[in-house]
Each structure stands twice: as C-alpha cells, then as structure tokens.
C-alpha cells in the first residue's frame, strides 16, 4: 500500500470538481522529503497562513466594530484555551510530529482548500473513512481542530480526512459549501490509494461544520435527483454524523445575535436575509418538489447536548422531525446536561470511554464483526487534563 500511496501523491491532480488540472499532491508515504525540506515547507505554510489569518482578522474587525459581547467572548475563549492547555499541548505534539498525520494536503485551488490525513498504523485491508468538517461559527474553523478526533479514529483502524474551508470574511456560505463538497469529492475519488474504502465513507460535521455539511449533502442529492453530472456520488456516504449543529437559520439569527455573533455579520455570512431559507436544511427538506432528493440522503445521526447554549438542542430535534416527515432517515441522540463544547472538547480530554465516540464507531463497524470485537477490547482513552481544569473551562467556555 505504501507504494500505491506514494504513487498517488506524486501523480494525482485536481481541478474544481476533483479531476485533473495540474496541481499535485505531495508524497505522504514512501518517497518523503528530507527533514530540512519538510521543516521549510511547514514553516513557509505556517507563515503564509499566519499572514492570511492576520489580514482576515483586521477585515473581520471592520465588520465587528466595538461591541462588548464579542470582546467578552474572545477574552473567555483565551481563558478557556489556557485552562485546557495541558491537553492541547499533548494533542499538538501528536499533530505536528506523528508519522500518521499528513498535514495540509491540497484538494482545490483556494488557499484554504487543504486537508489533514490521519492513517492507522495497521495497513491490512481496506479501511472505512471519516471526513470531518470542523465548526467555528463560520469564522474560526480550522482543520487542526479535528486532530484529537483523528487520533481517536485511527486507533480504531479508521482513516480520517479533516477538511479546511474558506471562513468569513474570506468566503461566504456558498463558498464554504462549495469547498466542503469539493473536499468530499476529492477524498471519495482518491482515498482508495491510501488504503481507504471509497464505498464506506462517513461524514462528520460539528457545529457550523454540521450546518455546512448538511447543506453540501442536500445540494448533492438535489443535483443527482436531476441527473446533473457530478464527480462523486451520495451513495458513497454511508452515514452522516452531525454534532451540535443548527439547521434553521431563520430561527437562530436572533439567538446568535444575543450570543455575540451580530445580526449584520451573520447576514453577511449567509449572503443576506433572503438567503436564510435557502441555507436552512430544515426548511429545504420541507419542499415537496425535492422529495426524491431527500430520499437519497444517507442515514443521519444528530448528536446534541441538552445544555448547549450556543445552539439549542431543539435545533437537532426539529431538523430530525422535518427529515422524517419528508421521507429521510434521522435519529437524534441527546446527552443530558452536556454543553456545546462538552461533547467535542472536554469529554475526549477527560479520557475513559467517550460515549459519543463509541456510538459513532459502533455504527461505522456495524457490519464488521472482527472490528467490533477489537472495539470491545480497546483500552480507555488516557486523561489529558485534570478534572478541576475541565470543570473551570466548562464554566468559562464562550460557546
């Protein structure tokens, strides 16, 4: 498999739809660059991203102006990150130095069209694949946020691709959906050369990433139902796991405004008030003219904490109800007392058996008895942050 992967990374090209245009993947296995070359490339990439993020931050500040809500949120976020720093440092070390992690691979021609690939140590047989789309309020999403999730999945013999996409103000919602769809296409078309099974791909979206992913899936289904040409097939996505997402933008705009994501900025992200319905998956599936498209959706599992203040859990319940009435398959799994960050940050850092993670793995391995047997024997995860710091972080979390 190493030779196949090296060949793919040398020869696979891409265009807007995941085909050929001339820009190449760099090798991730086999013929690797020297440590000096690798360090230089990483440094140059980090410098370019730092410059880009700094420039975009100043543009974003011009939108935000001076407002106490977002300023207090930023300060709370800094304190939150400091409290969880012991865990973040350990995950960061894995992200930057593990041979299983291959960072910033290219899937498109935009600066943020990059993804991180996490490969299991065991290279026997075809592996199921998870495509992860991170959250970040459509503004601060970054592929590295999925590094711990990538580590968890690879320990269960699952390949993970964490997608980046354009954030606001670099792009608006249509750009984000286009990027995610293009990233899904690229993974679907190329993952076989890395040992992945192109017919066992699972999509995971978290928070804003859950919303963007749901929009991308619906657009793909609508296109296929109308016999439009496409570079990937919705049938390749075996299930969609949505964590703490929002799916009715008309219902959430005032809630977000009160939480510090001001109405004017949110409308800019969503391309105006008239577009809110268009980018609300819950409302889109109610359109009876696309019933055929809704029926094509993969099984959808909506995970949400009942104490989520960023996006209330009834957002998932309402979306699931709309999907079922429209002929789709949807299941809601609620976690009593869990907040927006508990499910994705604090619980994994706490160690032990992570209920949400185990639920996803059980679905991915449902038809593989050997994998299920290995899962049952898997050791609990190591605790990365003391409980006192986790509790303090939970209280101060801006999300």
């Amino acid at each position: 498999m190493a030779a196949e992967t090296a060949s793919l990374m040398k020869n696979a090209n891409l265009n807007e739809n995941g085909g050929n245009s001339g820009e190449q993947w760099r090798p991730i296995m086999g013929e690797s660059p020297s440590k000096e070359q690798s360090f230089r490339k990483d440094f140059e990439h980090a410098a370019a991203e730092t410059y880009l993020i700094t420039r975009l931050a100043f543009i974003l500040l011009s939108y935000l102006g001076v407002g106490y809500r977002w300023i207090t949120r930023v300060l709370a976020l800094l304190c939150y990150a400091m409290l969880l720093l012991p865990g973040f440092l350990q995950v960061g070390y894995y992200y930057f130095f593990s041979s299983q992690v291959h960072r910033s691979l290219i899937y498109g021609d935009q600066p943020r069209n990059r993804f991180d690939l996490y490969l299991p140590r065991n290279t026997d047989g075809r592996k199921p694949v998870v495509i992860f789309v991170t959250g970040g309020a459509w503004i601060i999403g970054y592929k590295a946020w999925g590094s711990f999730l990538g580590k968890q999945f690879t320990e269960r013999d699952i390949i993970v691709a964490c997608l980046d996409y354009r954030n606001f103000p670099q792009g608006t919602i249509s750009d984000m959906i286009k990027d995610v769809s293009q990233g899904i296409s690229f993974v679907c078309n190329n993952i076989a050369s890395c040992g992945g099974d192109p017919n066992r791909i699972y999509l995971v979206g978290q928070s804003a990433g859950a919303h963007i992913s749901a929009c991308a899936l619906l657009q793909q289904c609508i296109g296929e139902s109308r016999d439009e040409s496409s570079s990937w097939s919705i049938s390749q996505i075996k299930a969609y796991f949505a964590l703490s997402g929002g799916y009715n933008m008309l219902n959430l705009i005032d809630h977000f405004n009160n939480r510090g994501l001001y109405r004017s900025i949110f409308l800019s992200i969503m391309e105006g008030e008239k577009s809110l319905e268009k980018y609300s998956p819950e409302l889109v599936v109610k359109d009876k003219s696309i019933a055929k498209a809704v029926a094509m959706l993969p099984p959808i599992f909506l995970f949400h904490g009942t104490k989520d203040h960023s996006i209330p859990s009834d957002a998932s319940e309402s979306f699931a109800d709309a999907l079922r009435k429209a002929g789709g398959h949807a299941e809601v799994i609620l976690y009593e007392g869990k907040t927006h960050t508990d499910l994705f940050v604090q619980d994994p850092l706490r160690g032990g058996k992570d209920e949400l993670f185990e639920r996803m793995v059980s679905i991915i391995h449902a038809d593989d008895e050997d994998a299920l047997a290995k899962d049952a024997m898997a050791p609990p995860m190591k605790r990365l942050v003391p409980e006192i710091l986790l509790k303090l972080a939970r209280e101060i979390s801006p999300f």
Side-chain angles (χ1 to χ4, degrees):
M1 188 188 77
E4 291 177 353
T5 305
S7 176
L8 168 72
M9 296 307 172
K10 289 171 68 178
N11 300 318
N13 299 323
L14 62 145
N15 68 8
E16 220 172 35
N17 297 313
N20 292 327
S21 76
E23 189 170 9
Q24 298 181 339
W25 269 10
R26 61 179 174 84
I28 64 169
M29 295 176 66
E31 301 173 16
S32 301
S34 67
K35 287 185 177 180
E36 183 179 349
Q37 290 174 321
S38 179
F39 177 79
R40 186 176 69 251
K41 286 182 178 180
D42 284 346
F43 179 81
E44 290 172 352
H45 181 70
E49 287 206 342
T50 300
Y51 170 76
L52 176 64
I53 291 169
T54 302
R55 183 169 64 84
L56 292 175
F58 280 107
I59 296 173
L60 183 61
L61 283 173
S62 70
Y63 280 90
L64 289 168
V66 179
Y68 76 93
R69 286 196 186 97
W70 75 261
I71 291 174
T72 56
R73 299 289 177 196
V74 169
L75 292 174
L77 177 60
L78 292 173
C79 293
Y80 175 80
M82 289 301 297
L83 288 167
L84 299 181
L85 191 60
F88 292 160
L89 288 174
Q90 294 176 72
V91 176
Y93 183 86
Y94 166 80
Y95 178 71
F96 285 107
F97 296 105
S98 172
S99 61
Q100 294 174 256
V101 185
H102 307 281
R103 302 184 304 280
S104 295
L105 304 175
I106 299 169
Y107 70 80
D109 57 5
Q110 295 295 322
R112 293 295 298 275
N113 288 170
R114 304 289 187 271
F115 71 100
D116 296 328
L117 189 65
Y118 299 77
L119 299 176
R121 293 189 184 280
N122 175 17
T123 59
D124 296 337
R126 292 290 184 199
K127 311 292 185 189
V129 180
V130 163
I131 299 174
F132 176 67
V133 184
T134 184
W138 302 273
I139 295 173
I140 59 170
Y142 184 56
K143 55 187 171 56
W145 301 165
S147 54
F148 193 46
L149 189 70
K151 183 177 186 295
Q152 288 177 285
F153 275 124
T154 57
E155 290 172 353
R156 301 296 182 90
D157 272 354
I158 299 168
I159 293 173
V160 180
C162 291
L163 301 182
D164 241 352
Y165 54 88
R166 281 171 284 182
N167 286 182
F168 183 79
Q170 189 180 20
T172 56
I173 185 63
S174 62
D175 299 313
M176 301 174 199
I177 295 168
K178 179 181 178 181
D179 287 353
V180 167
S181 183
Q182 187 174 339
I184 293 171
S185 171
F186 193 82
V187 173
C188 286
N189 285 314
N190 294 286
I191 202 64
S193 294
C194 297
D197 187 339
N199 294 309
R200 283 195 297 161
I201 295 177
Y202 298 81
L203 184 62
V204 180
Q206 186 261 336
S207 192
H211 166 251
I212 297 166
S213 301
C215 290
L217 286 178
L218 273 170
Q219 284 192 7
Q220 181 68 19
C221 289
I222 292 170
E224 289 189 27
S225 71
R226 296 171 179 170
D227 296 322
E228 296 174 4
S229 62
S230 176
S231 58
W232 63 286
S233 172
I234 195 69
S235 64
Q236 293 176 272
I237 308 299
K238 294 306 174 189
Y240 173 45
F241 304 117
L243 285 58
S244 311
Y247 314 97
N248 187 331
M249 301 298 103
L250 287 172
N251 283 353
L252 289 169
I253 184 170
D254 290 332
H255 175 78
F256 288 149
N257 183 71
N258 293 333
R259 296 283 298 172
L261 182 55
Y262 298 137
R263 185 184 184 91
S264 59
I265 300 172
F266 186 68
L267 288 177
S268 295
I269 295 170
M270 294 296 150
E271 302 174 1
E273 194 159 3
K274 291 182 179 179
S275 295
L276 290 178
E277 186 171 345
K278 176 183 177 182
Y279 295 117
S280 294
E282 179 185 326
L283 303 178
V284 172
V285 300
K286 292 179 179 180
D287 183 351
K288 294 182 179 179
S289 70
I290 65 161
K292 181 181 176 182
V294 175
M296 297 169 68
L297 285 166
I300 293 176
F301 299 88
L302 303 166
F303 302 94
H304 223 121
T306 60
K307 292 293 185 181
D308 190 330
H309 300 298
S310 293
I311 303 177
S313 59
D314 59 11
S316 287
E317 294 181 281
S318 182
F319 183 36
D321 184 58
L323 281 166
R324 288 190 287 259
K325 287 179 179 177
H329 173 85
E331 181 180 346
V332 180
I333 301 94
L334 297 179
Y335 293 89
E336 192 65 34
K338 297 294 185 179
T339 67
H340 195 69
T341 55
D342 277 334
L343 297 177
F344 187 66
V345 183
Q346 285 98 266
D347 285 353
L349 292 176
R350 180 171 282 110
K353 288 288 185 179
D354 185 332
E355 187 179 348
L356 185 151
F357 172 73
E358 295 295 341
R359 182 68 175 265
M360 288 192 289
V361 171
S362 69
I363 295 169
I364 294 171
H365 285 159
D367 298 324
D368 189 335
E369 291 186 5
D370 289 339
L372 289 173
K374 290 180 181 178
D375 291 338
M377 300 296 292
M381 290 186 295
K382 175 186 173 185
R383 175 184 283 275
L384 300 182
V385 177
E387 187 64 24
I388 183 64
L389 295 183
L390 289 169
K391 289 181 177 179
L392 287 172
R394 188 180 193 269
E395 293 301 317
I396 204 170
S397 172
F399 301 107

